[in-house]
Amino acid sequence: MEKNKVPKRLVGKVAIVTASTQGIGFGIAERLGLEGASVVVSSRKQNNVDEAVGKLKAKGIDAFGIVCHVSNAQHRKNLVEKTIQKYRKIDIIVCNAAANPSTDPILSSKEDVLDKLWEINVKSSILLLQDTAPHLEKGSSVIFITSIAGYQPAGALAMYGVTKTALLGLTKALAAEMGPDTRVNAIAPGFVPTHFASFITGSPEVRKGLEEKTLLNRLGTTEDMAAAAAFLASDDASYITGETLIVAGGMSSRL
Ligand code: NAP
């Protein structure tokens, strides 16, 4: 969407987006910022954080960057504390970080791989929300980034997909626990050609096959995911909680 056509639904809001220096996380940070939010971007590497903050500021966005490896307890605490020191509150938190360290079948997956998948994809989001919850404003919004693989965990994405299935349950459970002041929703992207997905979307034949599996004959974009996140974070979604929005061009068998 052209910058001057983006609605301004998030003026005065403060948003934390994890793993937001490239790909879907960066796209979400950019869109929330263009809609008026102050955005706190983070990832593991300082140079990536600096570069992302520079790009957002160049678009007129109020952006602030902090290094945060989501599985590092001190990094998570620092992310929340520095955000509160600077902005005094948190309205939106997008839990976007994930890892897919192995494509092994589940029964051949090493224990350290299973631990890493649980730790990065599920546990670190819970622990970050434990740190964040005391600071969340009335009317705040939590968004998890799950995946269509959460609905059909299979093949090279099987165990990763199971961790994304866990996020579907976490969305329901935390919506009940954090309501009525905080809404908790999730986005399940289809295939988006980012660095993370390049082991799949990097092959022209595979990519074509995936495009044909959608009803819109294309893969998703980071902007598609960002638009869904901005909607869920905004008052336009004020009566929506505990839901997962599939953003996959129709590539899903869910009724
Ligand atoms: P991406 O383009 O590869 O970006 C990954 C981002 O995460 C980078 O900014 C990276 O920066 C950061 N990062 C990686 N590990 C981190 C960690 N442990 N702690 C903090 N930051 C970390 O990935 P993406 O495709 O946008 O994926 C984002 C989310 O979308 C994930 O939850 C993924 O499961 C989900 N998803 C993606 C697709 C898809 O097709 N792309 C489909 C469904 C769901 P640093 O290297 O500086 O840390």
Side-chain angles (χ1 to χ4, degrees), residues 146-148 151 168 186-190 225 228 232 243-255:
T146 171
S147 169
I148 51 165
Y151 291 95
L168 304 176
I187 295 167
M225 307 308 138
L232 287 175
E243 299 296 341
T244 298
L245 189 53
I246 298 181
V247 187
M251 186 202 265
S252 165
S253 61
R254 192 182 75 154
L255 279 177

Side-chain angles (χ1 to χ4, degrees), residues 19 21 24 43-44 48 68 70 96 98 160 164 190 192 194 196:
T21 57
I24 292 169
S43 78
R44 294 167 300 182
N48 291 347
C68 178
V70 292
N96 172 65
Y160 158 86
K164 295 298 192 177
V192 182
T194 61
F196 183 82

Side-chain angles (χ1 to χ4, degrees), residues 18-26 42-49 68-71 95-100 116 120-121 124 144-149 160 164 167 187-198 200-201 222 225:
T18 67
S20 47
T21 57
Q22 66 176 26
I24 292 169
F26 180 81
S42 62
S43 78
R44 294 167 300 182
K45 300 185 192 109
Q46 184 72 57
N47 60 326
N48 291 347
V49 171
C68 178
H69 189 317
V70 292
S71 66
C95 297
N96 172 65
N100 185 22
K116 185 168 183 185
I120 306 270
N121 297 6
S124 60
F144 292 109
I145 306 301
T146 171
S147 169
I148 51 165
Y160 158 86
K164 295 298 192 177
L167 294 184
I187 295 167
F191 287 92
V192 182
T194 61
H195 175 70
F196 183 82
S198 59
I200 298 171
T201 58
T222 58
M225 307 308 138

Side-chain angles (χ1 to χ4, degrees), residues 2 7 11 27 40 55 61 67 71 75 78 84 94 99 110 113 127 140 186 201 211 217 232 239 245 248-250:
E2 283 170 43
V11 173
V40 180
K55 282 189 200 158
I61 292 167
V67 167
S71 66
H75 285 193
N78 196 39
I84 292 299
V94 182
K110 301 253 180 336
V113 166
L127 294 172
S140 54
T201 58
E211 285 168 352
N217 213 19
L232 287 175
Y239 200 50
L245 189 53

Side-chain angles (χ1 to χ4, degrees), residues 33-223:
L34 289 174
E35 292 224 16
S38 298
V39 287
V40 180
V41 293
S42 62
S43 78
R44 294 167 300 182
K45 300 185 192 109
Q46 184 72 57
N47 60 326
N48 291 347
V49 171
D50 294 343
E51 198 181 314
V53 168
K55 282 189 200 158
L56 294 172
K57 284 191 169 165
K59 296 200 168 190
I61 292 167
D62 179 21
F64 181 53
I66 303 168
V67 167
C68 178
H69 189 317
V70 292
S71 66
N72 181 313
Q74 197 49 51
H75 285 193
R76 289 191 303 266
K77 285 203 187 324
N78 196 39
L79 177 65
V80 174
E81 275 170 19
K82 291 260 168 60
T83 302
I84 292 299
Q85 274 166 22
K86 185 160 171 70
Y87 294 114
R88 306 268 158 227
K89 62 168 188 163
I90 301 166
D91 301 284
I92 300 161
I93 176 146
V94 182
C95 297
N96 172 65
N100 185 22
S102 159
T103 55
D104 289 341
I106 294 174
L107 295 183
S108 320
S109 292
K110 301 253 180 336
E111 189 171 349
D112 62 332
V113 166
L114 298 175
D115 287 345
K116 185 168 183 185
L117 280 164
W118 166 252
E119 176 144 349
I120 306 270
N121 297 6
V122 186
K123 191 175 93 174
S124 60
S125 294
I126 298 171
L127 294 172
L128 179 61
L129 290 174
Q130 288 179 357
D131 291 341
T132 312
H135 305 286
L136 286 175
E137 291 287 295
K138 192 172 165 49
S140 54
S141 173
V142 173
I143 300 171
F144 292 109
I145 306 301
T146 171
S147 169
I148 51 165
Y151 291 95
Q152 283 174 310
L157 295 172
M159 194 56 222
Y160 158 86
V162 171
T163 64
K164 295 298 192 177
T165 314
L167 294 184
L168 304 176
L170 195 59
T171 301
K172 288 277 179 221
L174 286 180
E177 195 170 313
M178 297 178 81
D181 289 347
T182 300
R183 294 180 299 106
V184 182
N185 292 294
I187 295 167
F191 287 92
V192 182
T194 61
H195 175 70
F196 183 82
S198 59
F199 75 104
I200 298 171
T201 58
S203 148
E205 302 83 63
V206 174
R207 183 179 170 134
K208 189 162 180 297
L210 291 172
E211 285 168 352
E212 285 168 357
K213 277 192 185 163
T214 73
L215 306 181
L216 303 178
N217 213 19
R218 68 172 178 86
L219 299 190
T221 64
T222 58
E223 289 83 0

